[in-house]
Amino acid sequence: MSKYLNDILTAFHLYTPNSVLPRDYINVVEETISYINKNFARNINVEHLAERTGFSPYHFIRIFKKETGLTPYEYIVNVRINTAKYLLRNSRLSVKDICYSTGFSSESVFCSAFKRRLGVTPTEYRTMKGN
């Protein structure tokens, strides 16, 4: 009986298609990065990104961090901050406009994240030379 059970379970395991094989993790991460880069100004959350890949949020975070060194959330914030840095240096948009155009939910969240990562406020960054 146990041999039959073992044969049946082995057959299920061998013939059950995996949605994504380990060698395809890089493709999943690359597609996610592309999606984030195109949609960073929208309200993106990890659950939505994981759903797009077919993984649980926990598994998706592990794959993303293993491939990039960052969690998906950290990556999103980095894209937003880097875009804000560019806009602060190369546009006349107000800090408030930059905040909302880069996907932050409020000016205080934007300023806190910016200062935490760069050590200066967005306004201070804009006035610094050599950035």
XYZ file of all heavy atoms in Angstrom, residues 9-25 28 53-55 59 63:
189
model
N 2.026 9.818 -5.240
C 2.542 11.125 -4.842
C 3.701 11.557 -5.736
O 3.811 12.732 -6.095
C 2.969 11.111 -3.374
C 1.824 10.994 -2.361
C 2.387 10.832 -0.953
C 0.905 12.175 -2.441
N 4.551 10.617 -6.106
C 5.653 10.939 -7.015
C 5.118 11.388 -8.365
O 5.605 12.366 -8.943
C 6.587 9.725 -7.187
O 7.108 9.357 -5.914
C 7.730 10.039 -8.144
N 4.109 10.702 -8.869
C 3.507 11.083 -10.153
C 2.916 12.481 -10.084
O 3.085 13.285 -11.006
C 2.448 10.061 -10.559
N 2.197 12.780 -9.002
C 1.646 14.129 -8.839
C 2.750 15.170 -8.824
O 2.652 16.219 -9.456
C 0.824 14.246 -7.553
C -0.593 13.796 -7.701
C -1.068 12.741 -6.966
C -1.441 14.436 -8.591
C -2.379 12.311 -7.105
C -2.747 14.027 -8.736
C -3.222 12.954 -7.994
N 3.809 14.864 -8.098
C 4.908 15.819 -7.990
C 5.581 16.047 -9.343
O 5.887 17.181 -9.715
C 5.939 15.337 -6.969
C 7.134 16.227 -6.855
N 7.069 17.473 -6.277
C 8.419 16.070 -7.265
C 8.251 18.044 -6.345
N 9.090 17.219 -6.939
N 5.800 14.980 -10.093
C 6.483 15.094 -11.375
C 5.634 15.772 -12.443
O 6.159 16.439 -13.326
C 6.912 13.711 -11.872
C 8.026 13.048 -11.069
C 8.281 11.632 -11.594
C 9.311 13.861 -11.129
N 4.330 15.618 -12.372
C 3.475 16.131 -13.435
C 2.670 17.362 -13.066
O 1.899 17.861 -13.852
C 2.543 15.020 -13.929
C 3.328 13.912 -14.570
C 3.495 12.704 -13.904
C 3.959 14.090 -15.791
C 4.245 11.689 -14.462
C 4.711 13.082 -16.360
C 4.848 11.885 -15.705
O 5.600 10.894 -16.260
N 2.884 17.874 -11.873
C 2.225 19.111 -11.487
C 3.060 20.267 -12.005
O 4.210 20.430 -11.613
C 2.089 19.219 -9.959
O 1.358 18.093 -9.497
C 1.387 20.509 -9.555
N 2.504 21.064 -12.924
C 3.304 22.175 -13.440
C 3.516 23.236 -12.377
O 2.593 23.583 -11.648
C 2.458 22.727 -14.591
C 1.075 22.292 -14.286
C 1.179 21.018 -13.493
N 4.716 23.705 -12.287
C 5.015 24.818 -11.380
C 4.753 26.102 -12.136
O 5.084 26.221 -13.314
C 6.471 24.780 -10.926
C 6.762 23.580 -10.061
O 5.895 23.112 -9.345
N 7.975 23.072 -10.138
N 4.150 27.092 -11.482
C 3.866 28.349 -12.169
C 5.156 29.063 -12.553
O 5.252 29.667 -13.595
C 2.981 29.240 -11.305
O 3.634 29.526 -10.094
N 6.171 28.977 -11.688
C 7.465 29.586 -11.990
C 8.545 28.690 -11.419
O 8.522 28.357 -10.245
C 7.576 31.001 -11.373
C 8.934 31.599 -11.651
C 6.479 31.898 -11.890
N 9.491 28.331 -12.228
C 10.607 27.518 -11.779
C 11.694 28.428 -11.226
O 11.780 29.593 -11.604
C 11.153 26.693 -12.953
C 10.159 25.713 -13.571
C 10.762 25.089 -14.826
C 9.777 24.635 -12.581
N 12.554 27.909 -10.345
C 13.596 28.758 -9.757
C 14.417 29.537 -10.780
O 14.763 30.676 -10.554
C 14.463 27.765 -8.979
C 13.512 26.683 -8.585
C 12.555 26.574 -9.758
N 14.720 28.944 -11.932
C 15.525 29.668 -12.927
C 14.759 30.843 -13.515
O 15.336 31.716 -14.150
C 16.008 28.716 -14.016
C 14.903 28.166 -14.889
C 15.477 27.231 -15.954
N 14.423 26.666 -16.751
C 13.789 25.532 -16.506
N 14.127 24.806 -15.448
N 12.829 25.087 -17.285
N 13.448 30.867 -13.326
C 12.636 31.964 -13.847
C 12.457 33.102 -12.837
O 11.827 34.099 -13.153
C 11.260 31.454 -14.278
C 11.351 30.541 -15.493
O 12.283 30.731 -16.303
O 10.502 29.659 -15.625
N 13.014 32.956 -11.650
C 12.877 34.015 -10.648
C 13.442 35.336 -11.156
O 12.891 36.393 -10.895
C 13.573 33.633 -9.347
C 12.853 32.614 -8.502
C 13.420 32.143 -7.334
C 11.603 32.118 -8.865
C 12.772 31.205 -6.540
C 10.955 31.178 -8.078
C 11.550 30.724 -6.917
O 10.907 29.825 -6.135
N 10.925 37.049 -13.248
C 9.847 37.598 -12.424
C 10.292 38.917 -11.806
O 9.557 39.907 -11.822
C 9.421 36.589 -11.326
C 8.545 37.245 -10.284
C 8.718 35.394 -11.945
N 2.634 38.205 -9.727
C 3.594 37.128 -9.996
C 3.040 35.748 -9.686
O 3.624 34.759 -10.100
C 4.873 37.328 -9.162
O 4.567 37.179 -7.779
C 5.518 38.669 -9.430
N 1.954 35.686 -8.934
C 1.392 34.397 -8.555
C 1.995 33.812 -7.290
O 1.719 32.678 -6.931
N 2.834 34.579 -6.608
C 3.434 34.122 -5.366
C 2.712 34.735 -4.174
O 2.076 35.780 -4.294
C 4.909 34.551 -5.283
C 5.802 33.867 -6.272
C 6.471 34.601 -7.231
C 5.995 32.498 -6.235
C 7.311 33.993 -8.144
C 6.829 31.874 -7.152
C 7.484 32.618 -8.107
N 6.703 34.900 -0.003
C 7.604 34.255 -0.953
C 8.128 35.269 -1.981
O 9.309 35.272 -2.327
C 6.894 33.093 -1.647
C 7.793 32.229 -2.454
N 8.822 31.499 -1.909
C 7.827 31.978 -3.788
C 9.457 30.847 -2.858
N 8.871 31.124 -4.016
N 12.075 36.261 -2.814
C 12.658 36.166 -4.159
C 13.231 37.513 -4.579
O 14.360 37.604 -5.071
C 11.595 35.710 -5.177
C 11.184 34.276 -4.920
C 12.098 35.876 -6.612
C 9.928 33.867 -5.675
